[in-house]
Structures are given as C-alpha cells and as structure tokens.
Amino acid sequence: MKYKITLLIALIFTLSACTTGQLYYQDQAGNRVMGCNVEFVGMPSVDKFAVEYALSHCAKKAAEKGYRLDKEQAYLLELDLTIPEAPNAQSWNHELAEREYEKGNLSKKEYGYIVAYIDMGLATAGRPSPD
C-alpha cells in the first residue's frame, strides 16, 4: 500500500510539473518587493527559458523605474530578449512556434522565449522585440 501511495504522489508531481520564478527588487524606501511571479507549464526544459524571458522583461521594467534588483538577479538585466522573426512574415502564435521547434528551426531557448513573448501579449503584428 505504501508503494502505491508513493507512486501516486510521484505521478501527480510529474503530471503537474511547472516551472516558476520570482523577481525581487528594492523600492525607493528600501523595502524588498516581489515584482513578478511567473509560472509556465509544459516542457520544463523549454519552460525554464520562458521563465527567464519573463523575469528579464520584468527586471528591465523595474530598473527603468529606478528599482534595485537583488544581486542574484542582476544578470537578468543583461539578457538579450530578441525574438527571431516568424517565418513568412507571420506573427508568432503557439501553434507556429511549436511547429518550428519540432522542425528543428528553433532552439529550446528560442522556443521558450517565444512562448513567454506570446503569453505576455507581446506577439502582436508589427511590434518589435522588447529589448
């Protein structure tokens, strides 16, 4: 019976795999504030890049407002968030990104960044990458 319970718990954990991240900064008063809390569910090897993209985007917005990031997260300000152009002058959507990834035209990182880009509502026609 113990084995079945352990197996059930492991199965539930596996099926509910999600990748999360938080961004913390200090406001002008010196208070530590959580600026962003993100979660992506799907393929963990790709989702880690979606989290990285979303947190970097959030970090850059916080820095523009004059907030100081925690030291461990300062690297997020240096990331290149350029999104590759979609083929045939299309706009990115989940189906197109998945197809391009499965064809080998996108790396895991590019695919993860595009997933976040889409989910954050930045994938509108004619809108440049947010870098």
Side-chain angles (χ1 to χ4, degrees):
M1 184 68 174
K2 252 186 182 178
Y3 176 73
K4 286 182 181 181
I5 291 173
T6 303
L7 183 61
L8 180 62
I9 290 171
L11 182 61
I12 289 170
F13 178 74
T14 302
L15 292 175
S16 66
C18 66
T19 307
T20 63
Q22 295 82 31
L23 177 82
Y24 290 92
Y25 62 80
Q26 284 188 347
D27 64 15
Q28 276 81 8
N31 300 310
R32 188 170 188 255
V33 177
M34 181 169 46
C36 297
N37 185 17
V38 297
E39 177 180 308
F40 288 89
V41 178
M43 298 179 357
S45 64
V46 171
D47 292 344
K48 70 181 180 181
F49 294 112
V51 168
E52 178 181 85
Y53 182 93
L55 292 180
S56 179
H57 188 268
C58 182
K60 291 175 182 192
K61 295 294 182 191
E64 286 174 9
K65 294 177 182 176
Y67 301 135
R68 262 192 354 244
L69 299 182
D70 284 356
K71 279 189 243 179
E72 310 83 48
Q73 295 185 309
Y75 76 95
L76 292 167
L77 297 172
E78 304 303 320
L79 296 178
D80 178 5
L81 300 183
T82 303
I83 300 297
E85 289 194 31
N88 304 320
Q90 299 177 70
S91 293
W92 284 115
N93 60 54
H94 287 292
E95 294 77 22
L96 176 60
E98 183 177 6
R99 263 195 323 270
E100 291 299 305
Y101 176 70
E102 288 174 353
K103 286 198 253 179
N105 295 334
L106 297 173
S107 68
K108 287 180 181 182
K109 182 175 183 172
E110 289 171 324
Y111 184 35
Y113 275 26
I114 292 168
V115 167
Y117 182 73
I118 294 165
D119 287 356
M120 294 170 66
L122 301 172
T124 56
R127 184 175 181 146
S129 295
D131 220 19

